[in-house]
Amino acid sequence: MALEAEAKRMVAQFEYSAEEVNKGVREFVREMEEGLAKQGTSISQIPTYVTSVPNGTEKGVYLAVDLGGTNFRVCSVTLHGNQSFSLQQSKVPVPRALMEAKTSHELFSFLAKQIEAFLKTHHLDHFEKHKAQPGEVDYFDLGFTFSFPVNQVGINKGKLMRWTKGFNIDEALGQDVCELLQKEIDSLGLPVRVAALVNDTVGTLMARSYTSPGKTSTLIGAIFGTGTNGAYVEKLDRVKKMKEIDDATGGAANYDATTGLMVINTEWGSFDNPLKVLPNTQYDIDLDKESVNPGIQMFEKRVSGMFLGEILRRALLSLYQHPDAGVALFKDESSHTNDIRSTTTVADDSPLFKQWGIDTSFLSIVEEDQSDHLRITKQVLEKELKVEAASTEDCVAVKMLVHAIGKRAARLAAVALGGVVLSTNKLQEDETVDIGVDGSLVEYYPGFEEYIREAFREIEGIGEEEKRIRIGLAKDGSGLGAALIALVAHNAEQPL
Ligand code: ADP
Ligand code: MG
């Protein structure tokens, strides 16, 4: 009982009340609007130069490539125009040596060769006709998902700011990555035009907008995976900083302003870095202090898959090390398992003692567990954390903490999504507000969407209207989504 009482006390620290949710939403809306007005704000609100979203009637064949880290993916997407599509793809690991090549040419010519190989396999006829008589066939428009920080200045123009994830090619810094790819494609003589540079959240938004039922276009594309971020459709005249950006980049010439819309990449992972409204526990504080980027991405550190396991680990460790052994976790001297009484033990090399030792998928398993005496939790504690013979009381405490951390994350997700819904006034303008989501956390964590919805109902300005918000999984934003961005980029240049 003492353990349960202590776990309850800890759980209370993760509670995120309706009042706090509302405070969070007000601050989120304020930061969104600040981000639209000027540059260098805490929510960046980056214009993506995508000025329309698909409605599911689009047709054609488009290419998409994705350079995100470990693998390079090439795919072609055939849009059937009735919300459906078919997709063919290939995937190759990027050779280590190319990640740290001397010149960008080495990496980008490798990428172009993969595109060539893909065309030969899946579009041989088109490829050969073009070779025989250039100009005979149309060029494929290609969407380029490039998951490294770029300063985007047009729909297919973006300068590399820095490499991450083990890549390091100095010579590429400051160069336009679309141009680098186009140059190598051209030197192989491929019928391919790099039409758009794509962020994965925008891909999610587009993919959902194409596939969502009916003709309602989607408002938000949101990722809850390793990290969290969202993109949404904004009215161009609300993007007050656009003129300043245009003046600096010549951007106005690069996009179609006639739609009156601009898709904005919020970069909401950095919402409220100064912690004005975000909930904070000792576990959050310590996680941040020992992270590679203290003080940064504070919203993301409470919401996304990369961090929830680590928050839990710190909470469990603190309960395990509780000074009062009668209260502590995993200290049962005669726990009852399969009619055998045994002492609970935690191996010295348990991941419980290692930073990042618990993966967020662990939380999903425990949250899901409805078995007698939490048998499944007991098993996963043994398998993943090397805890032998955990007692049922231990498992109950672990489950309470898991639930508290997961639910807080979902309620925070509702702050971001609800903030965008309110700031854009969409509930007033449209019958249905559609949101596309992607990422393992929202896909697999049991009840994640329901906790978001519960929080929506507590938000002033949403309440009962929560029913008119539709949330749907938008898988494969980097394939379908990137292809759709190539399509709208093409249409913006040559209106149909
Ligand atoms: P990415 O964000 O890299 O595109 P994912 O959407 O698959 O990839 O997200 C990976 C993150 O999701 C990791 O942080 C991982 O810990 C977490 N994750 C993986 N499986 C699950 C699961 N079943 N439940 C909750 N989180 C998960
Ligand atoms: Mg992803």
Side-chain angles (χ1 to χ4, degrees):
M1 279 324 279
L3 169 58
E4 191 180 329
E6 182 60 15
K8 270 202 184 125
R9 194 189 63 76
M10 289 172 68
V11 160
Q13 299 172 356
F14 288 100
E15 249 144 48
Y16 186 49
S17 69
E19 194 185 326
E20 287 174 288
V21 167
N22 277 286
K23 226 166 104 189
V25 170
R26 285 193 293 273
E27 174 62 14
F28 196 92
V29 170
R30 193 194 69 73
E31 289 189 21
M32 275 180 73
E33 283 162 16
E34 183 181 57
L36 292 176
K38 50 185 194 227
Q39 292 182 269
T41 54
S42 91
I43 298 185
S44 304
Q45 299 281 67
I46 302 165
T48 64
Y49 300 93
V50 174
T51 56
S52 62
V53 294
N55 61 19
T57 62
E58 294 75 8
K59 287 186 179 172
V61 183
Y62 294 86
L63 296 184
V65 296
D66 180 356
L67 183 69
T70 340
N71 294 302
F72 181 63
R73 298 202 302 157
V74 185
C75 71
S76 66
V77 178
T78 306
L79 304 168
H80 302 307
N82 55 354
Q83 271 103 37
S84 77
F85 65 98
S86 44
L87 184 148
Q88 288 165 310
Q89 68 167 314
S90 73
K91 186 169 109 176
V92 285
V94 178
R96 278 243 128 246
L98 293 186
M99 297 181 180
E100 301 176 43
K102 281 254 162 333
T103 63
S104 55
H105 163 73
E106 290 167 66
L107 174 65
F108 284 84
S109 66
F110 169 81
L111 305 184
K113 278 180 199 136
Q114 304 312 310
I115 298 171
E116 179 177 50
F118 180 88
L119 290 179
K120 282 183 177 165
T121 309
H122 296 288
H123 299 276
L124 185 62
D125 195 41
H126 201 102
F127 176 81
E128 284 182 335
K129 274 193 185 140
H130 176 78
K131 282 275 164 191
Q133 200 176 350
E136 177 77 352
V137 291
D138 287 341
Y139 274 51
F140 287 114
D141 285 304
L142 175 146
F144 183 14
T145 303
F146 183 78
S147 307
F148 299 90
V150 288
N151 178 12
Q152 192 163 359
V153 294
I155 193 145
N156 64 350
K157 283 188 190 64
K159 292 184 181 150
L160 178 63
M161 292 157 68
R162 60 183 178 277
W163 289 107
T164 56
K165 299 180 267 195
F167 280 67
N168 187 18
I169 307 169
D170 278 349
E171 184 261 337
L173 297 176
Q175 298 211 56
D176 175 358
V177 295
C178 291
E179 203 177 298
L180 290 175
L181 182 59
Q182 187 70 63
K183 211 164 59 190
E184 301 299 339
I185 287 171
D186 291 347
S187 75
L188 292 178
L190 309 178
V192 175
R193 194 179 76 94
V194 181
L197 185 60
V198 178
N199 176 278
D200 60 352
T201 55
V202 186
T204 299
L205 170 62
M206 304 297 270
R208 171 66 189 174
S209 199
Y210 180 82
T211 53
S212 72
K215 287 209 176 164
T216 320
S217 59
T218 299
L219 175 65
I220 308 174
I223 308 260
F224 301 100
T226 306
T228 181
N229 187 19
Y232 74 102
V233 183
E234 185 54 278
K235 295 186 184 73
L236 188 53
D237 62 12
R238 294 225 315 154
V239 191
K240 301 280 186 256
K241 67 182 175 187
M242 207 62 220
K243 180 162 183 332
E244 184 192 332
I245 295 174
D246 289 344
D247 290 347
T249 60
N254 290 329
Y255 61 91
D256 172 16
T258 62
T259 63
L261 303 174
M262 175 65 78
V263 174
I264 300 288
N265 167 15
T266 63
E267 293 292 342
W268 71 36
S270 62
F271 167 54
D272 192 27
N273 281 342
L275 300 184
K276 280 195 264 180
V277 298
L278 286 175
N280 207 17
T281 67
Q282 193 58 49
Y283 318 108
D284 296 301
I285 294 169
D286 295 341
L287 178 152
D288 178 56
K289 215 186 320 174
E290 291 169 39
S291 70
V292 294
N293 53 355
I296 292 169
Q297 297 293 95
M298 298 304 255
F299 180 71
E300 183 165 80
K301 282 174 180 160
R302 285 153 178 76
V303 175
S304 75
M306 182 162 175
F307 303 101
L308 300 189
E310 178 63 5
I311 299 174
L312 176 71
R313 189 190 68 83
R314 287 171 183 275
L316 295 182
L317 187 60
S318 131
L319 196 48
Y320 173 70
Q321 293 171 335
H322 198 285
D324 178 353
V327 169
L329 188 70
F330 307 141
K331 294 284 167 65
D332 205 318
E333 288 184 353
S334 63
S335 84
H336 197 121
T337 313
N338 301 332
D339 289 331
I340 303 164
R341 293 207 167 268
S342 49
T343 302
T344 309
T345 57
V346 181
D348 290 341
D349 64 345
S350 163
L352 184 63
F353 306 121
K354 286 189 209 94
Q355 193 183 16
W356 312 115
I358 300 183
D359 190 273
T360 299
S361 55
F362 178 91
L363 280 82
S364 288
I365 298 169
V366 174
E367 175 84 55
E368 179 114 60
D369 187 6
Q370 303 291 342
S371 61
D372 289 344
H373 307 292
L374 298 179
R375 181 174 33 81
I376 292 168
T377 297
K378 229 168 268 184
Q379 281 165 5
V380 71
L381 280 169
E382 186 171 331
K383 191 164 137 255
E384 309 254 333
L385 295 192
K386 301 192 180 181
V387 177
E388 299 279 346
S391 68
T392 303
E393 290 69 35
D394 287 334
C395 294
V396 169
V398 171
K399 190 165 186 197
M400 281 164 61
L401 283 164
V402 161
H403 180 72
I405 292 165
K407 186 162 181 177
R408 189 186 71 165
R411 290 172 69 77
L412 283 163
V415 166
L417 298 172
V420 176
V421 169
L422 291 180
S423 170
T424 53
N425 205 31
K426 271 286 157 183
L427 279 168
Q428 273 64 47
E429 292 172 8
D430 290 341
E431 195 42 46
T432 304
V433 175
D434 194 74
I435 299 174
V437 293
D438 188 18
S440 288
L441 183 64
V442 62
E443 187 172 359
Y444 301 117
Y445 192 92
F448 202 80
E449 180 181 336
E450 191 39 50
Y451 299 141
I452 290 177
R453 293 194 164 280
E454 199 179 296
F456 276 168
R457 292 192 289 272
E458 297 165 13
I459 294 175
E460 287 157 36
I462 299 182
E464 281 307 301
E465 305 307 314
E466 168 267 326
K467 287 196 239 22
R468 292 196 289 118
I469 302 176
R470 197 168 60 189
I471 300 177
L473 208 57
K475 290 183 70 106
D476 203 41
S478 73
L480 173 61
L484 287 160
I485 296 170
L487 176 145
V488 298
H490 177 103
N491 291 353
E493 224 157 74
Q494 294 152 293
L496 295 175

